[in-house]
Amino acid sequence: ASRESTIAHAFASAIAPNDEFEDEKIRDAILWLGQDPDRDLRCAYCDADAKTWDHVAGIVKSKRFSGFSHRIGNLLPCCEHCNSSKGNLDWKMYMSKIEMPEKKRQKQISLIQSYLDQFTVSDILPEGCPEIDEMEEIKGQIIALMVKADEIGRAHV
């Protein structure tokens, strides 16, 4: 199952649209989040030190490419804990699970929503896109070959 998930993420990353990550675009996004782009970034969810970027909408859902992207409007600075804890949860649902004063939570939710309204792009790839279908077929072949390799390996142990 973990192999299948890893392969799904690799294929989704290969096909997901992405931005040219220009310094000015990134600065604007960080400023919109109320942060100083010349200092260490803070997690958009819990305000801890940000060491990663979270996909607000995951690029994989049910082991398939979701149609979402690696674009600025789908990425938020994030601490490692929140990034791994959030997983594919809706960001508002995740925010409701973080222990913090309600006033601060509402401020963060408002800030993130404002950011998403400003930067999110709506060019999500549609289901039935030929490239996605072809990638899914290739992914299935790779997974089948890995299962076969596992069976061969177990037969010789």
Side-chain angles (χ1 to χ4, degrees), residues 9-147:
H9 277 86
F11 274 81
S13 289
I15 199 168
N18 58 46
D19 280 334
E20 295 288 327
F21 291 103
E22 300 162 1
D23 288 341
E24 187 175 333
K25 241 185 208 180
I26 295 169
R27 282 185 73 77
D28 288 348
I30 292 168
L31 287 168
W32 196 273
L33 286 167
Q35 297 192 39
D36 182 346
D38 298 321
R39 303 189 83 159
D40 289 338
L41 293 179
R42 310 297 300 166
C43 177
Y45 302 116
C46 75
D47 204 36
D49 286 338
K51 302 289 184 198
T52 65
W53 289 84
D54 177 56
H55 288 88
V56 179
I59 62 169
V60 172
K61 186 169 185 159
S62 301
K63 298 182 183 170
R64 290 184 53 93
F65 175 55
S66 68
F68 288 97
S69 64
H70 299 299
R71 296 185 187 271
I72 294 291
N74 192 37
L75 295 169
L76 287 171
C78 191
C79 68
E80 291 171 341
H81 173 77
C82 284
N83 201 337
S84 64
S85 299
K86 178 182 163 281
N88 266 345
L89 280 178
D90 172 80
W91 70 272
K92 285 184 183 176
M93 175 71 71
Y94 179 69
M95 286 294 299
S96 72
K97 295 177 182 225
I98 297 174
E99 287 190 37
M100 67 173 59
E102 191 57 32
K103 189 173 181 177
K104 181 175 182 173
R105 180 188 334 278
Q106 290 308 315
K107 182 181 175 192
Q108 288 300 106
I109 288 172
S110 178
L111 189 62
I112 293 169
Q113 187 62 61
S114 172
Y115 171 86
L116 295 175
D117 291 344
Q118 176 67 25
F119 291 97
T120 297
V121 291
S122 59
D123 62 347
I124 296 168
L125 295 178
E127 277 291 318
C129 176
E131 293 86 359
I132 295 172
D133 294 341
E134 185 177 3
M135 295 279 278
E136 286 297 323
E137 184 180 325
I138 293 168
K139 184 181 78 177
Q141 292 169 6
I142 289 171
I143 291 168
L145 288 170
M146 292 180 84
V147 168

